[in-house]
Amino acid sequence: MSWNILLPNSQDNWWCHKQYSSNVAMDKRQWEHRQSLIKEKLLHSAADIVCIQEADGDTFDADFAFMQDNGYDHVLHKKFRFRCATFFLKDKFMLDREAHKDRTLVTSLKSTATDRVLHIVNCHLSGGAAPERRLRQVHDGLQQIQKYINALELDLTKQIKFKRPSPKLIAKAEKALDEYKSAGIVVAGDFNSDGNTAVRKLLVEGGVEPEWREPQYPKLVLTSKERTHSFGSFVDAAELAYGGNVCDGDYSEAIPLVDGTRPATYVVPNLASLLFLPVAEQGPPRTQFGTQIARGMAETLNLNDWCAQELDRAFDLVDLDGNGSIDDEEILSLLEDVYVSTFGGQIEQERNNFFKGFGKGSSDGLTKDQFVVRLQALQQDVEGERKAFGLARGLGLQKLNTTEMEGIFERIDLDGNGLLDEDEFQQLLETAYVAIYGGDIEKKRVEFFKAFKKDDEHDMRELTKEQFTERLLALHQELHGGRKGSELAEVRTEADVRKMIERFTPLLRHSLDEVFSQFSANDETLTEAEVNSFLIKTNGELGRGGTFRHVAAILEKKNELQDAPAELTREDWYGIFARELSEGKWWQVVFDLEVCGSSVRASHTSSSGDQFYQGWLDYIYFAKMSCVGVQDALTDLERSKVYSDGDALPNEWHPSDHLPVSAIFSWE
């Protein structure tokens, strides 16, 4: 069995009650009741192995003492707040190895009856718009098993190569290696994704190529190199049992569950339609400079916080003639500085290499003869051909022959002392690198103006201060901006926040305005005391939750910029909830608004086709074993309560927003 139990709220997880529908009594949301339901479900399953996600490390022993009392041993992940735990019956398995990876717990169990080995990769993969992380996490878990096998192969080789090899030790090493190579493998847990994902492709097809993309994130590079494993094709147990998978287009929140349909494992109120307008195709504005040049531009303009003061200072820095606009020559000058800054390390290395090898006399500079020798050596170097070309262009020369080399020495020797010193050559190299990347720089200049060019304009030559600022914010988006999914989006920049706010439904805006006005004395801003009243009303006390952190961050930033006490505007207020929604906390936003008196769900009819959001997030994949059966997560009565009565998860009789997935296996 594998089950995301929803983090226990015995001591922490104070916010757990917010995930329940308003009709569920508060005592049914508390840990004492939830624990009894979890205990009943786990022990009734009589599973030999149980994979739990979202265990709490601080309270684990007390939370799951009943498992030890009923014959289970366990391994608990050593890291993270939301931890994986793998339980196994002590009379059937013993622990052989364990590894605590990034959001996966790898355990190798040995059967007490047959010595057969079973590898378990218990997963609670990263949520949100992070498919590349999920791919890496599962791949790392499988690679850990491969490392075990590689170590056993190495041990066998060492035993064989000893000067006096022991047949007994060799046989033991051979047995251990065979047990691990022939072992069954189960990858189970909360994958936080469904559909045609990279994780599924890795498991089922054995690898993911760098050019492959997930349909939900068509522009996102998932891996820079091919990720593969050597364990053959894994099978999705539920796909095998129900004859359908979740990437064939047949599953969505609008399709009702019927007999024979693969059951969803995550069934919660569909709040997205209440809170979000459909996803727009166009995301926040971005430049297309590439990370290296974008970072170089940020460093050149000293942009760290990307606040208004920094953006104003950047404009003044680039506006060389002080006329209040940025022309193409000023952008060209900026880009040349950026390229010199970006490749500064290479320029420094080239300068050192150029002077290296001429002995003590070169400490003051190079003579004309030494300079010519160095240029000739540069020409012979394969990589140097490009640099020599850059030097020639920078000096306005057609070719680098000996006569020209001797003739240009005087031009470079700026102080006329007959020696070329490091500062003089530094200037030459900077000129050369600008020449080498001249084509790129021109493309970047055009890119900088392109967004503001009208259809009937051949080229654009000036930007206002507002346009220049927008370009810098687009640059920020390229460096730090989040990615969007069908509903979730990462919010890292103010552009991300604004884009999320643009997607607010009129209903959500009305509810946010309603609650804002309730706590604001002037109906225009919220003082710190007023917003604290809201936080206490929703969270019980100050210092808790994402809303408190977002409020504190905004107030702190405002207090740094002004002497008067900071206050929140309506736009700030919207931004707080945009950040919460970007993390998938729809239920928390709805709870917070409703507990303050706003009727967010009043228009949510229970008979609508999109009553629930259904997700196929929990899986059991297996290899080198046979699947005998898959257990339904819901009884007929429970299924009727959910899909006929509208009893979404979690509820009075089910303690989590996830359903458990269970399968029975036999050794091959």
Side-chain angles (χ1 to χ4, degrees), residues 108-159:
S108 297
L109 306 177
K110 185 172 287 190
S111 168
T112 57
T114 65
D115 278 347
R116 295 287 300 269
V117 172
L118 176 62
H119 301 298
I120 305 289
V121 183
N122 184 354
C123 308
H124 187 194
L125 306 183
S126 294
E132 78 285 10
R133 295 179 210 159
R134 291 189 283 271
L135 171 62
R136 175 181 52 77
Q137 287 159 356
V138 173
H139 183 260
D140 287 352
L142 295 176
Q143 284 297 102
Q144 183 60 53
I145 299 172
Q146 187 61 54
K147 289 178 182 178
Y148 290 155
I149 294 173
N150 294 344
L152 291 170
E153 287 177 337
L154 181 61
D155 181 57
L156 175 59
T157 301
K158 288 181 179 179
Q159 295 294 340

Side-chain angles (χ1 to χ4, degrees), residues 5 113 123 153 196 247 297 335 366 420 465 487:
I5 60 165
C123 308
E153 287 177 337
N196 190 16
C247 66
M297 185 172 291
L335 288 168
L366 299 182
L420 183 66
K465 186 173 185 178
E487 298 295 351

